[in-house]
């Protein structure tokens, strides 16, 4: 009777009043979330870079940071997390990226290569989401300037004359720059022995110092040293010649089409980052990359602008690349570290 007098119907411990209160709180929660997404960004954005300062990803992230800051007048902080072929950077994104203020700038190889080369603690095709392809990139085989060769045929002849073979550096063990050298050795019968580094800068330092004679590296990091005459290019691992290295032939031109694939850098988020935020930063990023100034900067870095593909299309591309990389790693008897 008391229940009827208060006008509240009760079923066990549940009342219509408590239901109405719960609905009201839920609506307030959704409204608060929507308002937060609408006002985004309201604080600094972090771009975590899967590579060292001065590397290709770092240069690209700082270019993007400038564009995002111009658009939103909010600080965009670039933080380098080199090591373990991008795993440390991915871990940072996994720990901090849900609210939409931490993103990742890294090669697509973090999905298609790293999980094959290292024992990782993330699921590559479900724990990461590529929001935008920032640039397409090639590799270049570069040599110490004192090495007595100036082209690939001369290098092959010289390499065969060395009983102990030749060492070559790469920016990470088990990644594309590593398998490129091992594949070249197989195709040419030159004994090429790999020396892995934590990023391009330390490898290039040893290359210039004569500690290693050769290196497969990203064009962006090698280009300034090539232009300065501190190292010399031998051939380009890319489908076409690089605009900033017009006189350097591709491996494909030289008879090695197996060394012609393009890689790419992307802007990544956690899949559960709010969709509205994902879409907003993707659109601003793609618009920025279309600007002539951004295009010019990419060219200076030895990169081509990325294509405006969807996240699903980018993942399909990476699945194919992963299958190819798995075959290469098997061919050199590589075991995940």
């Amino acid at each position: 009777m008391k229940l009827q007098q208060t006008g509240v119907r009760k079923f066990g411990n549940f009342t219509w009043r408590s239901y109405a209160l719960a609905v009201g709180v839920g609506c307030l929660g959704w409204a608060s979330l929507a308002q937060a997404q609408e006002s985004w960004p309201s604080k600094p954005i972090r771009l975590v870079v899967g590579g060292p300062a001065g590397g290709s990803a770092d240069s690209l992230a700082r270019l993007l940071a400038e564009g995002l800051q111009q658009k939103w007048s909010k600080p965009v902080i670039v933080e380098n997390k080199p090591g373990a072929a991008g795993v440390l950077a991915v871990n940072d994104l996994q720990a901090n990226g849900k609210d939409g203020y931490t993103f990742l700038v890294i090669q697509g190889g973090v999905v298609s290569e790293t999980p094959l080369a290292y024992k990782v603690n993330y699921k590559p095709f479900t724990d990461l989401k590529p929001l935008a392809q920032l640039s397409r990139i090639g590799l270049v085989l570069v040599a110490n300037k004192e090495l007595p060769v100036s082209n690939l045929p001369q290098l092959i002849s010289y390499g065969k004359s060395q009983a102990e073979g030749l060492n070559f550096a790469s920016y990470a063990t088990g990644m594309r720059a590593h398998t490129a050298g091992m594949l070249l050795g197989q195709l040419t019968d030159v004994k090429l022995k790999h020396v892995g580094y934590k990023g391009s800068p330390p490898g290039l330092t040893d290359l210039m110092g004569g500690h290693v004679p050769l290196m497969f590296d990203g064009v962006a990091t090698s280009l300034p040293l090539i232009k300065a005459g501190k190292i010399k290019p031998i051939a380009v691992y890319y489908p076409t010649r690089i605009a900033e290295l017009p006189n350097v032939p591709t491996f494909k031109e030289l008879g090695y089409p197996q060394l012609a694939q393009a890689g790419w850098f992307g802007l990544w988020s956690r899949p559960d980052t709010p969709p509205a935020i994902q879409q907003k930063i993707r659109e601003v990023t793609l618009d920025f990359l279309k600007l002539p100034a951004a295009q010019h900067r990419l060219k200076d870095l030895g990169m081509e602008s990325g294509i405006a593909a969807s996240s699903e299309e980018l993942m399909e591309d990476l699945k194919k690349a992963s299958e190819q990389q798995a075959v290469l790693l098997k061919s050199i008897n590589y075991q995940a570290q």
Side-chain angles (χ1 to χ4, degrees):
M1 290 296 296
K2 192 173 183 179
L3 268 179
Q4 292 176 351
Q5 289 174 353
T6 60
V8 177
R9 297 181 63 189
K10 184 173 182 180
F11 299 89
N13 293 323
F14 181 82
T15 68
W16 287 111
R17 182 177 292 165
S18 64
Y19 171 76
L21 180 61
V23 170
V25 170
C27 289
L28 286 173
W30 281 109
S32 177
L33 179 61
Q35 185 177 15
Q37 293 181 24
E38 184 66 26
S39 63
W40 182 93
S42 60
K43 62 181 182 179
I45 296 170
R46 295 175 66 237
L47 295 181
V48 179
V49 179
S56 301
D58 178 69
S59 299
L60 189 57
R62 293 183 189 281
L63 172 61
L64 178 59
E66 291 178 20
L68 298 181
Q69 286 179 167
Q70 291 171 9
K71 173 66 177 179
W72 288 311
S73 299
K74 290 287 188 293
V76 179
I77 302 165
V78 175
E79 293 188 19
N80 299 89
K81 297 282 184 177
V87 174
L88 299 182
V90 172
N91 290 345
D92 189 303
L93 177 69
Q94 293 300 311
N96 301 299
K98 187 174 182 178
D99 67 352
Y101 283 91
T102 296
F103 298 89
L104 178 63
V105 175
I106 201 168
Q107 285 197 51
V110 74
V111 164
S112 62
E113 299 172 34
T114 302
L116 300 173
Y118 297 88
K119 296 175 182 177
V120 302
N121 56 0
Y122 61 90
K123 297 176 182 177
F125 293 104
T126 56
D127 290 348
L128 292 166
K129 183 174 182 178
L131 300 182
Q133 187 183 99
L134 302 177
S135 69
R136 288 163 55 83
I137 54 170
L139 298 178
V140 59
L141 176 60
V142 287
N144 177 274
K145 65 179 183 179
E146 302 300 332
L147 196 70
V149 303
S150 58
N151 55 50
L152 187 61
Q154 290 178 4
L155 174 61
I156 293 171
S157 177
Y158 177 75
K160 288 180 177 179
S161 73
Q162 305 300 301
E164 297 299 317
L166 294 171
N167 289 340
F168 76 96
S170 81
Y171 49 74
T173 299
M175 306 297 281
R176 195 163 63 109
H178 173 189
T179 54
M182 301 307 294
L183 181 57
L184 180 63
Q186 289 180 0
L187 295 171
T188 61
D189 292 324
V190 174
K191 189 185 296 182
L192 293 175
K193 295 179 289 186
H194 179 249
V195 182
Y197 288 82
K198 292 182 179 180
S200 293
L204 289 169
T205 297
D206 275 5
L207 179 68
M208 289 185 287
H211 302 294
V212 288
L214 299 166
M215 182 172 181
F216 269 95
D217 187 40
V219 174
T221 41
S222 284
L223 189 59
L225 301 177
I226 293 171
K227 290 183 175 180
K230 295 181 178 181
I231 58 177
K232 54 188 175 184
I234 303 298
V236 169
Y237 184 143
Y238 198 64
T240 60
R241 291 198 183 197
I242 302 294
E244 292 296 291
L245 296 171
N247 297 320
V248 182
T250 66
F251 280 101
K252 184 177 181 180
E253 290 177 70
L254 297 169
Y256 302 97
Q258 302 91 332
L259 297 169
Q261 298 88 352
W264 53 267
F265 282 109
L267 175 68
W268 303 72
S269 73
R270 283 177 43 150
D272 57 357
T273 297
I277 292 176
Q278 291 183 32
Q279 185 63 22
K280 188 180 289 189
I281 196 169
R282 168 183 160 82
E283 289 176 354
V284 171
T285 295
L286 293 178
D287 287 345
F288 170 68
L289 293 174
K290 293 176 185 175
L291 297 177
Q295 294 280 318
H296 182 74
R297 290 278 295 278
L298 287 173
K299 183 179 178 183
D300 286 344
L301 290 171
M303 301 180 183
E304 292 185 358
S305 181
I307 58 175
S310 68
S311 296
E312 293 73 22
E313 290 169 332
L314 293 175
M315 273 303 194
E316 282 302 312
D317 176 71
L318 291 173
K319 287 177 182 177
K320 293 177 183 177
S322 179
E323 292 170 0
Q324 295 171 349
Q325 183 71 358
V327 172
L328 286 176
L329 289 174
K330 185 177 181 180
S331 74
I332 63 173
N333 298 314
Y334 183 86
Q335 299 295 320
Q337 298 183 9

